């Protein structure tokens, strides 16, 4: 049990509240001189009908302090606790050493399932830098929830439906060659689509509509070509997912739900929720300050809102999720509010478990991305360039590094992911190479280098024997700061999950790396007497494990040498 939980139990018993509620009240004082933990007694004033300072004084007299609390003070309406640095270091480091890379995990999600809809690429199109955030953010959230014991289902909801695929087949039938598409992949499909757009007349448009109708009707030739286009695209994007170390459990896209929309529409009709308005079938949401949710065109054709409804019902039936996260840009906020509200109006209480996780836009070195203006940065090119740039840096600083191509890939990809996830997800990201690949400051390479420093110290030192550690050697300022950060890691992970915000972990990584570097420069490790050396080696080993775990939760590798 952590020191915080122990303090919470002690106070809760005397205050007449639950330990969980008490723990939620506890705060870290803004200044070190005010203690390590503070209980604000204002929260009890109404129940106990006393002034907060009087409550604090009464609690101080009634509680029995555990041996790790060296002092307890009343500061106004607060009860402040001062921990023994030696006892705290022993408790924290012993727990991390025993748990290793599982430190910070929990079983809070045991028996619960979370679906995560992210990346969601478009068929017959290349991924650009705008797809970066949804992909790495979704992957990190999946990792965080798995770490907390949840069963996760990662879903790539493919954009694979619409008249454009009739155009693609039409273009291929007129100008395409199978060997060219197999050789050049998505680029060949894009060229065919551009040519169709350039040469389209009424006859070609009619032919394209006819081909899409054949897709809808499961015509064998149309289905074969349509499936082939999807396979080509997924083969192309697999390069990106391999670089990022990302795996999906499902690639069920819009086309998968084409035969599942009818049941949703019928249910809406039965529940008198569907009405005809201005040439379309809609669910009226006026009373909820939202425009109507359009579900069917006048000709009976479904749109993406219809398919998102069908997808939600399919996922609930198939996975029985406790939550379903949609990691999609903030521009789709209204769309998801409408979808969730329609499901609520249909009488399904699990509508509350559908959660849109929005994020900001990505620009590149000051330029807003625009396909029309030619400002496009393709994601595979960005990632490969990151690896190349990292290799250039390694060749300059450590040319004899073993496996340097592998390390360059870890550093390059890590730099991109860390940079993207560093700010709060709702903030826009402007990607700059010199900032992302900087080995100083709050960057991926800086954190990875701190991990390699820990590995280097441990490799050069005698074997670690925690039983010989003299924890009084960890009472100086830089040591206590490091121990505090290590102790906070489980709460950091819990906060990241609760807020759907991996940046909490990213910023923690930067702070931990900076703290260890200060500890490293302030304290001699190898060559001190046995007890001191073993205590500092243990702190180093625990820091290494926590950094590695934290980076993994972000989807970033932790190289042992750089």
């Amino acid at each position: 049990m952590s020191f915080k939980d122990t303090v919470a139990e002690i106070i809760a018993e005397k205050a007449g509240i639950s330990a969980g509620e008490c723990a939620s009240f506890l705060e870290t004082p803004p200044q070190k001189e005010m203690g390590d933990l503070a209980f604000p007694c204002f929260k009890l004033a109404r129940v106990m009908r006393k002034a907060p300072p009087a409550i604090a004084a009464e609690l101080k007299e009634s509680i029995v302090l555990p041996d790790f609390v060296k002092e307890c003070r009343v500061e106004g309406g607060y009860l402040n606790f001062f921990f023994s640095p030696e006892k705290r270091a022993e408790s924290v480091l012993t727990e991390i050493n025993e748990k290793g890379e599982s430190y910070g995990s929990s079983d809070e999600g045991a028996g619960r399932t979370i679906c995560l809809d992210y990346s969601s690429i478009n068929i017959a199109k290349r991924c650009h830098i705008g797809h970066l955030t949804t992909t790495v953010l979704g992957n990190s959230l999946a990792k965080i929830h798995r770490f907390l014991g949840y069963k996760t289902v990662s879903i790539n909801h493919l954009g694979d439906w619409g008249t454009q695929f009739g155009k693609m087949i039409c273009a291929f039938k007129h100008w395409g060659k199978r060997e060219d598409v197999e050789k050049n992949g998505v680029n060949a499909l894009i060229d065919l689509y551009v040519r169709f757009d350039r040469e389209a007349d009424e006859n070609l448009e009619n032919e394209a509509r006819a081909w899409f109708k054949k897709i809808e009707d499961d015509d064998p030739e149309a289905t074969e070509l349509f499936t082939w286009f999807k396979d080509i695209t997924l083969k192309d994007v697999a390069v990106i997912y391999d670089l990022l170390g990302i795996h999906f459990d499902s690639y069920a896209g819009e086309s998968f739900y084409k035969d599942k929309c009818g049941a949703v529409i019928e249910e809406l009709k039965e529940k008198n929720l569907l009405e005809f308005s201005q040439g379309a079938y809609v669910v009226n949401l006026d009373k909820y300050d939202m425009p109507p949710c359009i579900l069917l065109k006048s000709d009976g054709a479904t749109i993406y809102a219809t398919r998102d409804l069908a997808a939600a019902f399919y996922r609930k039936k198939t996975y029985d999720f406790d939550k379903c996260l949609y990691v999609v840009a903030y521009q789709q906020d209204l769309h998801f509010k409408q979808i969730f509200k329609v499901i609520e109006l249909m009488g399904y209480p699990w509508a509350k478990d559908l959660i849109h996780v929005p994020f900001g836009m990505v620009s590149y070195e000051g330029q807003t991305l625009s396909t029309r203006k030619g400002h496009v940065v393709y994601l595979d090119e960005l990632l490969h360039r990151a690896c190349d740039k990292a290799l250039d840096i390694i060749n300059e600083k450590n040319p004899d590094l073993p496996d340097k191509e592998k390390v360059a890939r870890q550093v390059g990809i890590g730099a991109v992911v860390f940079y993207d996830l560093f700010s709060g997800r709702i903030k826009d990201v402007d990607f700059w190479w010199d900032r992302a690949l900087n080995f100083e400051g709050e960057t991926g390479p800086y954190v990875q280098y701190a991990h390699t420093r820990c590995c280097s110290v441990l490799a050069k030192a005698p074997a670690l024997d925690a039983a010989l550690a003299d924890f009084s050697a960890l009472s100086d300022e830089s040591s206590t700061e490091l121990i505090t950060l290590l102790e906070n890691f489980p709460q950091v992970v819990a906060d990241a999950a609760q807020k759907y915000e991996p940046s909490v972990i990213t910023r923690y990584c930067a702070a931990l790396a900076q703290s260890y570097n200060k500890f490293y420069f302030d304290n001699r490790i190898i060559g001190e007497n046995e007890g001191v050396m073993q205590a500092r080696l243990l702190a180093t080993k625990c820091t290494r494990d926590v950094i590695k775990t934290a980076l993994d939760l972000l989807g970033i590798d932790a190289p042992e040498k750089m």
Side-chain angles (χ1 to χ4, degrees):
M1 183 183 295
S2 70
F3 283 10
K4 180 179 179 180
D5 290 338
T6 303
V7 169
E9 282 198 352
I10 292 169
I11 296 175
E13 183 183 352
K14 301 299 181 182
I17 60 176
S18 71
E21 187 178 12
C22 185
S24 70
F25 293 162
L26 288 166
E27 302 172 358
T28 300
Q31 297 172 351
K32 294 178 182 178
E33 298 77 22
M34 300 172 71
D36 297 292
L37 204 61
F39 181 75
C41 297
F42 308 94
K43 310 268 188 180
L44 302 177
R46 182 177 296 178
V47 177
M48 298 181 72
R49 297 186 178 183
K50 294 180 181 178
I55 296 173
E58 184 178 313
L59 285 173
K60 181 186 176 184
E61 293 303 316
S62 64
I63 61 177
V64 178
L65 296 176
D67 63 354
F68 63 80
V69 177
K70 66 176 184 179
E71 187 180 0
C72 179
R73 292 183 199 164
V74 174
E75 301 277 359
Y78 288 86
L79 192 59
N80 290 5
F81 297 85
F82 295 77
F83 297 153
S84 159
E86 181 177 342
K87 295 285 187 182
R88 190 181 200 182
E90 181 178 6
S91 173
V92 172
L93 297 183
T94 299
E95 182 181 3
I96 298 174
N97 189 43
E98 289 174 353
K99 292 185 176 179
E101 291 169 23
S102 70
Y103 175 68
S105 64
S106 78
D107 59 359
E108 78 165 56
R112 302 168 69 188
T113 298
I114 290 188
C115 290
L116 300 101
D117 177 333
Y118 61 98
S119 201
S120 302
I121 62 165
N122 294 311
I123 296 302
K125 293 183 179 179
R126 288 182 69 184
C127 291
H128 53 71
I129 195 174
H131 293 96
L132 176 63
T133 302
T134 175
T135 304
V136 300
L137 174 59
N139 181 54
S140 180
L141 290 174
K143 282 175 167 284
I144 290 167
H145 283 91
R146 279 198 297 275
F147 193 62
L148 296 177
Y150 292 86
K151 177 185 177 183
T152 61
V153 182
S154 294
I155 301 169
N156 199 324
H157 186 73
L158 302 176
D160 62 354
W161 199 243
T163 55
Q164 69 267 33
F165 296 105
K167 295 178 181 180
M168 280 297 316
I169 292 178
C170 182
F172 177 76
K173 295 291 287 184
H174 278 276
W175 310 297
K177 293 181 180 179
R178 189 170 284 264
E179 57 269 26
D180 288 345
V181 175
E182 290 285 359
K183 179 181 178 182
N184 297 311
V186 172
N187 288 331
L189 297 179
I190 293 171
D191 290 343
L192 287 171
Y193 191 82
V194 169
R195 183 168 180 180
F196 180 94
D197 196 50
R198 186 173 64 243
E199 300 191 20
D201 56 19
E202 187 175 350
N203 289 333
L204 279 175
E205 293 285 1
N206 288 335
E207 189 178 336
R209 280 190 286 270
W211 274 112
F212 183 60
K213 182 66 167 61
K214 288 183 178 183
I215 296 174
E216 291 182 305
D217 295 339
D218 297 319
D219 172 81
E221 183 182 10
T223 300
E224 187 275 327
L225 288 171
F226 177 54
T227 303
W228 180 50
F229 294 159
K230 285 202 284 187
D231 291 342
I232 290 291
T233 307
L234 291 176
K235 181 180 177 182
D236 215 62
V237 78
V239 174
I240 293 171
Y241 294 146
D242 285 347
L243 283 169
L244 292 170
I246 290 177
H247 164 78
F248 288 94
D249 301 297
S250 168
Y251 284 92
E254 290 186 78
S255 66
F256 179 78
Y257 301 102
K258 66 174 184 174
D259 61 349
K260 298 171 179 61
C261 294
V264 177
I265 295 298
E266 286 305 310
E267 186 173 345
L268 286 165
K269 288 178 180 178
E270 290 171 8
K271 293 179 175 177
N272 296 316
L273 291 170
L274 201 65
E275 59 184 67
F276 192 76
S277 174
Q278 298 182 358
Y281 288 92
V282 306
V283 174
N284 193 313
L285 300 175
D286 285 351
K287 66 171 66 175
Y288 307 102
D289 296 321
M290 285 186 272
C293 183
I294 303 171
L295 295 175
L296 288 177
K297 297 178 183 177
S298 57
D299 62 359
T302 61
I303 63 171
Y304 66 93
T306 331
R307 296 184 284 278
D308 270 352
L309 278 175
F313 281 101
Y314 175 84
R315 292 169 186 174
K316 184 61 179 176
K317 180 180 179 181
T318 304
Y319 306 113
D320 192 23
F321 58 73
D322 294 88
K323 289 182 184 179
C324 183
L325 309 185
Y326 295 80
V327 186
V328 183
Y330 69 82
Q331 290 92 334
Q332 296 298 315
D333 186 54
L334 174 61
H335 166 75
F336 286 112
K337 283 182 179 177
Q338 290 176 308
I339 295 299
F340 301 165
K341 179 56 70 174
V342 169
I343 294 173
E344 180 187 328
L345 293 174
M346 292 173 75
Y348 293 99
W350 52 267
K352 71 181 187 321
D353 303 323
L354 303 170
I355 299 162
H356 178 210
V357 181
F359 55 85
M361 301 301 291
V362 180
S363 56
Y364 180 77
E365 300 200 339
Q367 285 192 324
T368 302
L369 299 173
S370 171
T371 305
R372 189 176 68 256
K373 295 179 180 179
H375 296 160
V376 182
V377 179
Y378 291 114
L379 189 49
D380 58 339
E381 294 177 359
L382 177 87
L383 296 176
H384 281 122
R385 189 177 175 193
C387 297
D388 291 342
K389 283 180 170 288
L391 184 58
D392 289 341
I393 294 171
I394 290 171
N395 281 329
E396 179 185 337
K397 294 189 174 184
N398 191 5
D400 298 324
L401 178 70
D403 251 348
K404 60 184 177 182
E405 287 78 12
K406 177 184 176 181
V407 175
R409 186 166 65 252
Q410 293 173 322
V411 173
I413 300 301
V416 172
V417 174
F418 194 95
Y419 190 94
D420 188 80
L421 294 180
F422 186 76
S423 299
R425 59 178 160 76
I426 204 61
K427 293 183 179 179
D428 293 341
V429 175
D430 188 9
F431 187 88
W432 291 81
W433 284 114
D434 58 341
R435 299 172 192 169
L437 280 164
N438 196 332
F439 278 68
E440 298 294 332
E442 298 169 319
T443 67
Y446 178 76
V447 175
Q448 288 174 318
Y449 190 73
H451 178 266
T452 64
R453 171 166 278 162
C454 293
C455 292
S456 176
V457 169
L458 293 167
K460 293 175 182 177
L464 173 66
D465 187 346
L468 299 177
D470 176 4
F471 292 102
S472 66
L474 300 176
S475 299
D476 61 287
E477 184 179 350
S478 62
S479 297
T480 54
E481 180 186 309
L482 180 64
I483 300 301
T484 299
L485 280 170
L486 292 171
E487 182 183 31
N488 289 345
F489 182 60
Q491 187 59 51
V492 167
V493 177
D495 288 347
Q498 182 183 12
K499 300 172 183 175
Y500 311 114
E501 188 62 271
S503 68
V504 174
I505 296 177
T506 318
R507 291 179 177 275
Y508 171 84
C509 282
L512 183 59
Q514 185 177 36
S515 180
Y516 180 76
N517 285 334
K518 186 174 188 300
F519 167 84
Y520 175 84
F521 286 112
D522 285 355
N523 296 282
R524 186 182 179 193
I525 300 176
I526 301 173
E528 285 285 1
N529 72 61
E530 188 71 19
V532 172
M533 180 179 69
Q534 290 295 342
R536 290 171 181 167
L537 283 176
L538 182 59
T540 297
K541 187 259 187 185
C542 291
T543 302
R544 179 200 65 185
D545 289 349
V546 172
I547 290 178
K548 185 176 182 180
T549 301
L551 286 176
D552 182 68
L553 292 177
L554 298 170
I556 299 172
D557 289 330
E560 295 185 5
K561 295 181 179 180
M562 283 173 63

